[in-house]
Short mmCIF file of all heavy atoms in Angstrom, two decimals:
data_model
loop_
_atom_site.label_atom_id
_atom_site.label_comp_id
_atom_site.label_asym_id
_atom_site.label_seq_id
_atom_site.Cartn_x
_atom_site.Cartn_y
_atom_site.Cartn_z
N ARG K 1 0.84 -1.19 0.00
CA ARG K 1 0.00 0.00 0.00
C ARG K 1 0.88 1.25 0.00
O ARG K 1 1.65 1.47 0.93
CB ARG K 1 -0.91 0.01 1.23
CG ARG K 1 -1.88 1.18 1.26
CD ARG K 1 -2.80 1.09 2.46
NE ARG K 1 -3.72 2.22 2.52
CZ ARG K 1 -4.64 2.40 3.46
NH1 ARG K 1 -4.75 1.49 4.43
NH2 ARG K 1 -5.43 3.44 3.43
N PRO K 2 0.79 2.09 -1.04
CA PRO K 2 1.69 3.25 -1.12
C PRO K 2 1.20 4.44 -0.31
O PRO K 2 0.00 4.60 -0.07
CB PRO K 2 1.67 3.59 -2.61
CG PRO K 2 0.32 3.16 -3.08
CD PRO K 2 -0.04 1.94 -2.25
N ASP K 3 2.14 5.25 0.11
CA ASP K 3 1.86 6.54 0.74
C ASP K 3 2.43 7.62 -0.18
O ASP K 3 3.66 7.75 -0.28
CB ASP K 3 2.50 6.61 2.12
CG ASP K 3 2.26 7.95 2.82
OD1 ASP K 3 1.71 8.86 2.17
OD2 ASP K 3 2.65 8.08 4.00
N PRO K 4 1.60 8.38 -0.88
CA PRO K 4 2.12 9.34 -1.87
C PRO K 4 2.95 10.46 -1.26
O PRO K 4 3.70 11.13 -1.98
CB PRO K 4 0.85 9.89 -2.52
CG PRO K 4 -0.23 9.67 -1.52
CD PRO K 4 0.13 8.39 -0.81
N TYR K 5 2.84 10.66 0.06
CA TYR K 5 3.60 11.74 0.70
C TYR K 5 4.84 11.24 1.44
O TYR K 5 5.51 12.02 2.12
CB TYR K 5 2.70 12.48 1.68
CG TYR K 5 1.46 13.08 1.05
CD1 TYR K 5 0.19 12.70 1.49
CD2 TYR K 5 1.55 14.00 0.02
CE1 TYR K 5 -0.96 13.24 0.91
CE2 TYR K 5 0.42 14.53 -0.57
CZ TYR K 5 -0.84 14.15 -0.12
OH TYR K 5 -1.96 14.68 -0.71
N ALA K 6 5.16 9.98 1.28
CA ALA K 6 6.30 9.40 2.02
C ALA K 6 7.60 9.63 1.28
O ALA K 6 8.29 8.69 0.87
CB ALA K 6 6.06 7.92 2.27
N PHE K 7 7.96 10.89 1.09
CA PHE K 7 9.21 11.22 0.42
C PHE K 7 10.41 11.00 1.35
O PHE K 7 11.49 10.64 0.90
CB PHE K 7 9.18 12.68 -0.05
CG PHE K 7 8.06 12.96 -1.01
CD1 PHE K 7 6.87 13.53 -0.59
CD2 PHE K 7 8.19 12.64 -2.36
CE1 PHE K 7 5.84 13.80 -1.47
CE2 PHE K 7 7.16 12.90 -3.26
CZ PHE K 7 5.97 13.48 -2.81
N ASP K 8 10.20 11.27 2.62
CA ASP K 8 11.21 11.01 3.67
C ASP K 8 12.55 11.65 3.36
O ASP K 8 13.61 11.07 3.57
CB ASP K 8 11.37 9.51 3.89
CG ASP K 8 10.19 8.89 4.61
OD1 ASP K 8 9.14 9.56 4.72
OD2 ASP K 8 10.29 7.74 5.06
N LEU K 9 12.52 12.87 2.86
CA LEU K 9 13.75 13.63 2.63
C LEU K 9 14.25 14.20 3.95
O LEU K 9 13.45 14.59 4.80
CB LEU K 9 13.50 14.75 1.62
CG LEU K 9 13.23 14.29 0.19
CD1 LEU K 9 12.56 15.40 -0.61
CD2 LEU K 9 14.52 13.86 -0.48
N ALA K 10 15.54 14.25 4.11
CA ALA K 10 16.13 14.73 5.36
C ALA K 10 17.17 15.80 5.06
O ALA K 10 18.37 15.52 5.02
CB ALA K 10 16.75 13.57 6.14
N PRO K 11 16.73 17.04 4.84
CA PRO K 11 17.69 18.11 4.54
C PRO K 11 18.49 18.49 5.78
O PRO K 11 18.05 18.26 6.91
CB PRO K 11 16.79 19.27 4.10
CG PRO K 11 15.48 19.01 4.76
CD PRO K 11 15.33 17.52 4.82
N PRO K 12 19.65 19.08 5.59
CA PRO K 12 20.44 19.55 6.73
C PRO K 12 19.79 20.80 7.33
O PRO K 12 18.86 21.37 6.74
CB PRO K 12 21.79 19.88 6.09
CG PRO K 12 21.46 20.24 4.67
CD PRO K 12 20.32 19.34 4.30
N PRO K 13 20.23 21.23 8.50
CA PRO K 13 19.69 22.47 9.09
C PRO K 13 19.94 23.67 8.17
O PRO K 13 20.93 23.71 7.44
CB PRO K 13 20.46 22.60 10.40
CG PRO K 13 20.94 21.23 10.71
CD PRO K 13 21.21 20.57 9.38
N LEU K 14 19.03 24.63 8.22
CA LEU K 14 19.19 25.86 7.44
C LEU K 14 20.43 26.61 7.93
O LEU K 14 20.56 26.91 9.11
CB LEU K 14 17.95 26.73 7.60
CG LEU K 14 17.93 28.05 6.83
CD1 LEU K 14 17.96 27.80 5.33
CD2 LEU K 14 16.70 28.87 7.21
N ALA K 15 21.34 26.89 6.99
CA ALA K 15 22.61 27.50 7.37
C ALA K 15 22.81 28.87 6.75
O ALA K 15 23.95 29.35 6.66
CB ALA K 15 23.76 26.56 6.97
N VAL K 16 21.73 29.51 6.29
CA VAL K 16 21.82 30.86 5.72
C VAL K 16 21.40 31.83 6.81
O VAL K 16 20.22 31.93 7.16
CB VAL K 16 20.93 31.00 4.48
CG1 VAL K 16 21.08 32.40 3.87
CG2 VAL K 16 21.27 29.94 3.44
N ALA K 17 22.36 32.54 7.36
CA ALA K 17 22.13 33.35 8.55
C ALA K 17 21.07 34.43 8.36
O ALA K 17 20.35 34.78 9.30
CB ALA K 17 23.45 34.00 9.00
N SER K 18 20.93 34.94 7.14
CA SER K 18 20.00 36.05 6.91
C SER K 18 18.57 35.58 6.65
O SER K 18 17.70 36.41 6.36
CB SER K 18 20.49 36.91 5.74
OG SER K 18 20.62 36.12 4.57
N LEU K 19 18.31 34.29 6.75
CA LEU K 19 16.97 33.76 6.53
C LEU K 19 16.42 33.19 7.83
O LEU K 19 17.04 32.32 8.44
CB LEU K 19 16.98 32.67 5.45
CG LEU K 19 17.39 33.09 4.03
CD1 LEU K 19 17.38 31.89 3.10
CD2 LEU K 19 16.47 34.19 3.50
N ASP K 20 15.25 33.68 8.23
CA ASP K 20 14.58 33.17 9.42
C ASP K 20 13.55 32.13 9.01
O ASP K 20 12.68 32.42 8.17
CB ASP K 20 13.88 34.31 10.18
CG ASP K 20 14.86 35.32 10.74
OD1 ASP K 20 15.98 34.91 11.11
OD2 ASP K 20 14.51 36.51 10.80
N PRO K 21 13.61 30.93 9.58
CA PRO K 21 12.67 29.88 9.18
C PRO K 21 11.22 30.33 9.23
O PRO K 21 10.77 30.95 10.20
CB PRO K 21 12.95 28.78 10.22
CG PRO K 21 14.37 28.97 10.61
CD PRO K 21 14.57 30.47 10.60
N GLY K 22 10.51 30.07 8.15
CA GLY K 22 9.10 30.39 8.06
C GLY K 22 8.78 31.83 7.75
O GLY K 22 7.61 32.19 7.59
N ARG K 23 9.80 32.67 7.61
CA ARG K 23 9.55 34.10 7.45
C ARG K 23 10.12 34.66 6.14
O ARG K 23 10.30 35.87 6.01
CB ARG K 23 10.13 34.87 8.64
CG ARG K 23 9.56 34.41 9.98
CD ARG K 23 10.05 35.25 11.12
NE ARG K 23 9.57 36.64 11.01
CZ ARG K 23 9.88 37.60 11.88
NH1 ARG K 23 10.68 37.33 12.91
NH2 ARG K 23 9.41 38.81 11.71
N TYR K 24 10.39 33.81 5.20
CA TYR K 24 10.88 34.27 3.90
C TYR K 24 10.17 33.50 2.79
O TYR K 24 9.59 32.44 3.01
CB TYR K 24 12.40 34.10 3.79
CG TYR K 24 12.89 32.68 3.89
CD1 TYR K 24 13.03 31.87 2.76
CD2 TYR K 24 13.22 32.12 5.13
CE1 TYR K 24 13.48 30.57 2.84
CE2 TYR K 24 13.66 30.82 5.23
CZ TYR K 24 13.80 30.05 4.09
OH TYR K 24 14.22 28.74 4.17
N VAL K 25 10.24 34.07 1.59
CA VAL K 25 9.61 33.48 0.40
C VAL K 25 10.72 33.11 -0.59
O VAL K 25 11.60 33.92 -0.87
CB VAL K 25 8.63 34.46 -0.26
CG1 VAL K 25 8.12 33.92 -1.60
CG2 VAL K 25 7.46 34.76 0.68
N VAL K 26 10.65 31.90 -1.11
CA VAL K 26 11.59 31.46 -2.13
C VAL K 26 10.98 31.68 -3.51
O VAL K 26 9.82 31.32 -3.75
CB VAL K 26 11.96 29.97 -1.96
CG1 VAL K 26 12.78 29.48 -3.15
CG2 VAL K 26 12.73 29.76 -0.66
N LEU K 27 11.75 32.27 -4.40
CA LEU K 27 11.36 32.43 -5.79
C LEU K 27 12.27 31.55 -6.64
O LEU K 27 13.50 31.67 -6.57
CB LEU K 27 11.50 33.89 -6.24
CG LEU K 27 10.71 34.94 -5.46
CD1 LEU K 27 11.02 36.34 -5.99
CD2 LEU K 27 9.21 34.67 -5.53
N HIS K 28 11.67 30.68 -7.44
CA HIS K 28 12.45 29.87 -8.39
C HIS K 28 11.92 30.19 -9.79
O HIS K 28 10.86 29.72 -10.19
CB HIS K 28 12.32 28.38 -8.11
CG HIS K 28 13.06 27.57 -9.13
ND1 HIS K 28 12.45 26.97 -10.20
CD2 HIS K 28 14.39 27.30 -9.27
CE1 HIS K 28 13.36 26.36 -10.95
NE2 HIS K 28 14.53 26.55 -10.41
N PRO K 29 12.68 30.98 -10.57
CA PRO K 29 12.15 31.49 -11.85
C PRO K 29 12.54 30.69 -13.09
O PRO K 29 12.24 31.12 -14.20
CB PRO K 29 12.78 32.89 -11.91
CG PRO K 29 14.10 32.72 -11.23
CD PRO K 29 13.90 31.67 -10.17
N TYR K 30 13.20 29.54 -12.93
CA TYR K 30 13.79 28.87 -14.08
C TYR K 30 13.08 27.58 -14.47
O TYR K 30 12.37 26.96 -13.68
CB TYR K 30 15.27 28.57 -13.81
CG TYR K 30 16.09 29.82 -13.62
CD1 TYR K 30 16.64 30.13 -12.39
CD2 TYR K 30 16.30 30.69 -14.68
CE1 TYR K 30 17.40 31.28 -12.21
CE2 TYR K 30 17.05 31.85 -14.52
CZ TYR K 30 17.60 32.14 -13.27
OH TYR K 30 18.33 33.27 -13.11
N SER K 31 13.33 27.17 -15.71
CA SER K 31 12.88 25.89 -16.24
C SER K 31 13.64 25.63 -17.53
O SER K 31 14.08 26.57 -18.21
CB SER K 31 11.38 25.87 -16.52
OG SER K 31 11.00 24.66 -17.16
N ARG K 32 13.77 24.37 -17.91
CA ARG K 32 14.44 24.06 -19.17
C ARG K 32 13.56 24.38 -20.37
O ARG K 32 14.05 24.52 -21.48
CB ARG K 32 14.86 22.59 -19.20
CG ARG K 32 16.05 22.28 -18.30
CD ARG K 32 16.48 20.84 -18.43
NE ARG K 32 15.47 19.92 -17.93
CZ ARG K 32 15.60 18.60 -17.96
NH1 ARG K 32 16.68 18.06 -18.48
NH2 ARG K 32 14.64 17.83 -17.47
N TRP K 33 12.24 24.46 -20.15
CA TRP K 33 11.32 24.84 -21.21
C TRP K 33 11.04 26.35 -21.14
O TRP K 33 10.64 26.86 -20.09
CB TRP K 33 9.99 24.11 -21.06
CG TRP K 33 10.00 22.66 -21.33
CD1 TRP K 33 11.06 21.80 -21.24
CD2 TRP K 33 8.89 21.88 -21.74
NE1 TRP K 33 10.68 20.54 -21.55
CE2 TRP K 33 9.34 20.54 -21.86
CE3 TRP K 33 7.55 22.17 -22.01
CZ2 TRP K 33 8.50 19.50 -22.25
CZ3 TRP K 33 6.71 21.14 -22.38
CH2 TRP K 33 7.18 19.82 -22.51
N ARG K 34 11.22 27.03 -22.24
CA ARG K 34 10.93 28.46 -22.26
C ARG K 34 9.45 28.73 -22.00
O ARG K 34 9.07 29.73 -21.41
CB ARG K 34 11.34 29.05 -23.61
CG ARG K 34 11.17 30.55 -23.68
CD ARG K 34 11.64 31.11 -25.02
NE ARG K 34 11.49 32.55 -25.06
CZ ARG K 34 11.78 33.29 -26.13
NH1 ARG K 34 12.23 32.72 -27.22
NH2 ARG K 34 11.61 34.59 -26.10
#
């Protein structure tokens, strides 16, 4: 039985001093398709 949300990724702690967890917005503007 699958769990579609069971990605189980384990990123390291946030190490960017100028970013407060939960208080910033990430913009990703790129793609390989124009």
Side-chain angles (χ1 to χ4, degrees):
R1 183 177 179 180
D3 179 353
Y5 302 121
F7 301 98
D8 287 13
L9 291 162
L14 181 63
V16 182
S18 58
L19 296 179
D20 295 327
R23 303 185 65 182
Y24 62 90
V25 172
V26 172
L27 302 177
H28 177 261
Y30 296 112
S31 174
R32 287 184 294 178
W33 290 26
R34 184 178 181 183

